[in-house]
Each structure stands twice: as C-alpha cells, then as structure tokens.
Amino acid sequence: MAISDVSEFLASRKNIAGSACGLAGLALTFTGVAGPYWPVVVAGLYGAGALTAPPERPAPPGFPDPSARLGELRADFEQLRGYLREVDVPPVAAARIGEIDELLGALLDPGWAAELLAQDPEALHALGRAVRQDVPEAVDTYARTRWWTRITPGQEQPERHLDRQLALVQEELTSVAAALRETEARRQESHTRYLEERGR
C-alpha cells in the first residue's frame, strides 16, 4: 500500500469514526467494564464505528467560475476586434460591425452588467457564440466568397449575405441586452413591492 493511500485512509471518515469508537472501548477497559476481553471490545467498537460511518463522497468536478469564463470571453473579443480591423468589408457592413462592437463592448465591460451576465449562462453562451463563431465566420466567408465572385461574375453578391448575417447577430445581441434589462427591471419592481409591504 502506498504512503498516499495510508494517509488517505487515516484521514477518512471511516477511520475517524472507528477511532472514536475504539477510544470509547479503551474508556470501558479503564473503568473495568470490558474485563479481560478488552482487545476484542476495542476492535469490535472500532469496526462498528468504521462500518457505520458515512461513505466518502468524491469531490464534484471543478468547472470554471462564470466570472472566469467572462474574462476568457473578453480576451477573445479583443482578438476579434483586432481581426475585424484588418478585414476589408463594405461600408454598410462596417457600420453594422461597429454597432455590434459597441453592443458587445457594453455587455462585456466590467461592472454591474457583466455581473448580471455572469449569472445568466444562456446569455453568456449567446455572447460567446457571437464573438467566437458568428461574427468571424460571417466576415471570413464574405472575404472568401468575394474572391470567387471576382473571377466568376454574375453570381449573387456576397455583401447581401454578410449584411443579413450581421443583422441577425445584432438582433440576437439586442435581445440578450433587453432580457438582462428586464431582469433588472423585475428586481427593481420586486424591491418596490417589498418596501410597500413592509410599510403596511
């Protein structure tokens, strides 16, 4: 048996409960109750204590804290900003990207909005999907499709798809912001009701 196994057993609930019962057996021995069979009494009480002790529970998995996930998302957002500064997009798409950037920046800015966001896994997931997948994929697909359109003219313009995709992302992010605002509004109304009821 390895030293780590021995130290785990010594710190286990079974050993602690068995030792407590074994000490009770020693107390019985010193008072003369156990008589000549004191080793059997002590061992029996130790075994009974070890058997009745609650089983060891494995530690729950250590998933990342929501605030840590928010920090990672902020770092990814900064990466996305750097990428978008280098990509050439039409003026209409650039304006929409600016609006999305402003919205994401406000939602991810450290403060009360970020605290509220950290408590809403669905909203956090929606923002992560927009930053890590939706926006970069829309822009990258546009850049690649535009190149093919130049050598095979007459196809549907990729700008239309880019603008529609960005509009859908912006719409989803606006919904997230509205839902967070609604959460705060409900909280405010709840506090008003509490104060009104307390004053009666």
Side-chain angles (χ1 to χ4, degrees):
M1 186 179 284
I3 295 174
S4 61
D5 293 338
V6 173
S7 61
E8 277 182 30
F9 173 74
L10 291 175
S12 69
R13 295 179 183 181
K14 290 187 176 297
N15 184 51
I16 292 170
S19 298
C21 290
L23 286 173
L26 285 175
L28 291 174
T29 300
F30 291 133
T31 57
V33 176
Y37 302 105
W38 68 268
V40 176
V41 171
V42 172
L45 286 172
Y46 176 87
L51 288 173
T52 57
E56 295 291 329
R57 288 191 329 265
F63 295 118
D65 186 78
S67 58
R69 291 175 56 201
L70 201 52
E72 292 171 5
L73 186 53
R74 283 192 193 103
D76 291 344
F77 178 49
E78 288 305 317
Q79 272 190 305
L80 176 64
R81 279 177 157 171
Y83 165 71
L84 292 174
R85 281 192 290 268
E86 296 176 8
V87 178
D88 182 30
V89 294
V92 174
R96 192 165 313 265
I97 285 173
E99 293 170 2
I100 290 172
D101 178 90
E102 189 177 338
L103 188 52
L104 282 168
L107 288 168
L108 293 173
D109 190 45
W112 63 267
E115 289 173 14
L116 189 62
L117 182 64
Q119 298 168 14
D120 190 337
E122 289 182 17
L124 197 56
H125 175 71
L127 262 65
R129 186 174 54 207
V131 168
R132 296 174 177 136
Q133 178 183 338
D134 296 340
V135 174
E137 189 169 333
V139 173
D140 183 58
T141 305
Y142 161 76
R144 287 185 283 127
T145 308
R146 184 180 61 170
W147 183 83
W148 285 106
T149 304
R150 286 176 181 169
I151 62 173
T152 56
Q155 305 296 317
E156 186 176 14
Q157 293 301 309
E159 288 83 358
R160 286 187 59 248
H161 285 288
L162 175 63
D163 188 52
R164 181 63 184 141
Q165 290 166 5
L166 293 174
L168 290 168
V169 172
Q170 185 178 15
E171 187 179 318
E172 183 178 22
L173 293 175
T174 303
S175 297
V176 168
L180 293 174
R181 185 211 169 279
E182 183 64 27
T183 300
E184 285 293 74
R186 283 197 305 269
R187 181 179 170 192
Q188 185 183 36
E189 290 167 8
S190 175
H191 188 59
T192 302
R193 282 195 302 272
Y194 162 73
L195 291 173
E196 288 172 347
E197 290 171 6
R198 192 177 71 181
R200 288 176 188 168

